[in-house]
Amino acid sequence: MRADLLGDGGYAGAVARLFDSVTPENELKWEVTESQPGHFDFASADRVVGFARRHGLSVRGHVLVWQNQLPAWVADGSLGRDALVAAMRRHIRALVGRYRGRIAEWDVVNEALAEDGGPRRTVFYDTIGPRYLEMAFRIAHRADPGARLVYNDYGVEGLGPKGDALFALVRRLVRDRVPIDAVGLQGHLTTAPVPGLAAQLRRLAALGVDVELTELDVRLPDAAGADALAAQAAAYARVVGACRAVARCRRVTFWGLDDADSFIDSAYPGYGRATLLDGDLRPKPAYRAVLAALRGR
Ligand code: XIL
């Protein structure tokens, strides 16, 4: 959810009424919380966390270590290895420490895998080396031993090179006793079925971690007609149903409340209408399909 829309009663009311958990969409990202080294700004994040508390919603913390939406002083690669490790430690401790007991779960590392399943070349990987990932989890765990820690990525929802790489990564983290509690599959999807979704959920759960859909949306081509809304509803129902069928798949989070605030239109030009509610907050067929899938019908 977004702090800048909290003043909109329709938006805020719908979030509070429909959900029991929220994710700040941008408010906890590094460029927002620590735009200058060691200078933290939690004003927007506090607004979301405060809203959640008033309405009895839990908060997913998104995100601690990610290569996007970084401030220039981190992104430009000017920090050497020790300085970047120290910056990462300070950043993680500041965020996790501040919200200890209020943010129950964190996306610790986001999108560390490249499309071919290899490691993504980021400032963290290039400067620190592959171990930055487990370092981040250990730092977060020490900052709040009670927080649930998540590895989050996209394009890993099914079987295939990247989905297989995710499985291998999580298996290694578990084997090395890295404090990881869950895997987040973002789920920025089209209406096409995801090959191997059920198998991926099952084999990840079998490693002894929880699984969740963390950023679900199903985009439609702009020109698509009314039948596209039915295909979208079916796609949503398939994904939510697949999660429901696996005991360790514990949560589905939707990215954007409604078609007016979704990031899809800008991230995927030519696509839109990806969420459960239309731009006037009216339920779409997808909304009813998700409710039915959650109830197991
Ligand atoms: C997106 C936000 O929705 C946009 O508002 C922002 O401009 C860019 O980031 N994967 C993630 C999210 O993990 O943080 C991204 O959120 C969408 C893709």
Side-chain angles (χ1 to χ4, degrees):
M1 77 173 300
R2 283 172 32 181
D4 61 314
L5 297 177
L6 276 175
D8 172 341
Y11 177 90
V15 171
R17 194 171 64 248
L18 299 179
F19 300 97
D20 60 9
S21 160
V22 291
T23 305
E25 188 167 338
N26 293 297
E27 290 76 356
L28 286 166
K29 290 174 181 174
W30 202 318
E31 68 175 5
V32 177
T33 51
E34 194 188 3
S35 60
Q36 296 300 322
H39 294 275
F40 291 92
D41 180 351
F42 294 113
S44 302
D46 281 354
R47 292 183 63 206
V48 174
V49 173
F51 174 85
R53 167 162 281 202
R54 285 196 300 283
H55 294 281
L57 317 174
S58 69
V59 181
R60 301 193 70 252
H62 176 80
V63 49
L64 299 173
V65 177
W66 186 33
Q67 72 278 358
N68 287 354
Q69 294 176 279
L70 285 174
W73 66 273
V74 181
D76 66 13
S78 59
L79 300 179
R81 184 181 189 280
D82 291 352
L84 186 56
V85 170
M88 193 171 82
R89 180 176 292 118
R90 179 176 60 192
H91 185 75
I92 293 174
R93 281 185 180 163
L95 272 67
V96 174
R98 179 181 184 84
Y99 294 108
R100 193 174 164 140
R102 292 188 289 161
I103 291 188
E105 170 170 313
W106 283 96
D107 289 333
V108 179
V109 178
N110 196 28
E111 303 182 357
L113 295 171
E115 303 314 310
D116 67 358
R120 185 186 291 277
R121 301 288 302 272
T122 67
V123 67
F124 301 104
Y125 183 88
D126 288 345
T127 309
I128 303 175
R131 289 180 47 107
Y132 82 89
L133 199 145
E134 58 200 77
M135 290 172 63
F137 276 87
R138 294 191 200 283
I139 295 165
H141 182 61
R142 278 195 298 274
D144 182 359
R148 290 166 45 78
L149 304 183
V150 182
Y151 174 78
N152 196 52
D153 213 328
Y154 70 90
V156 293
E157 293 81 3
L159 306 179
K162 202 172 172 185
D164 294 349
L166 172 77
F167 176 72
L169 169 66
V170 175
R171 186 175 52 190
R172 182 177 66 72
L173 294 175
V174 169
R175 193 176 51 215
D176 292 349
R177 300 190 182 286
V178 174
I180 177 173
D181 299 287
V183 183
L185 312 177
Q186 292 185 7
H188 296 291
L189 303 176
T190 68
T191 55
V194 178
L197 171 63
Q200 179 75 320
L201 294 174
R202 278 198 303 269
R203 72 176 177 171
L204 286 168
L207 293 175
V209 292
D210 289 337
V211 197
E212 51 186 298
L213 274 304
T214 51
E215 303 181 16
L216 184 58
D217 52 25
V218 178
R219 58 188 179 270
L220 297 176
D222 286 338
D227 52 341
L229 291 175
Q232 178 181 52
Y236 266 110
R238 273 197 308 271
V239 175
V240 172
C243 178
R244 257 197 122 248
V246 174
R248 291 202 81 141
C249 188
R250 298 200 193 273
R251 167 164 34 203
V252 180
T253 300
F254 303 88
W255 207 246
L257 173 70
D258 64 274
D259 287 346
D261 77 63
S262 167
F263 89 119
I264 286 293
D265 308 68
S266 56
Y268 297 89
Y271 287 81
R273 292 191 295 162
T275 75
L276 301 179
L277 308 180
D278 72 15
D280 296 317
L281 302 178
R282 283 184 305 240
K284 292 159 60 181
Y287 174 84
R288 290 180 281 275
V290 163
L291 270 194
L294 287 171
R295 291 178 181 140
R297 282 190 260 117

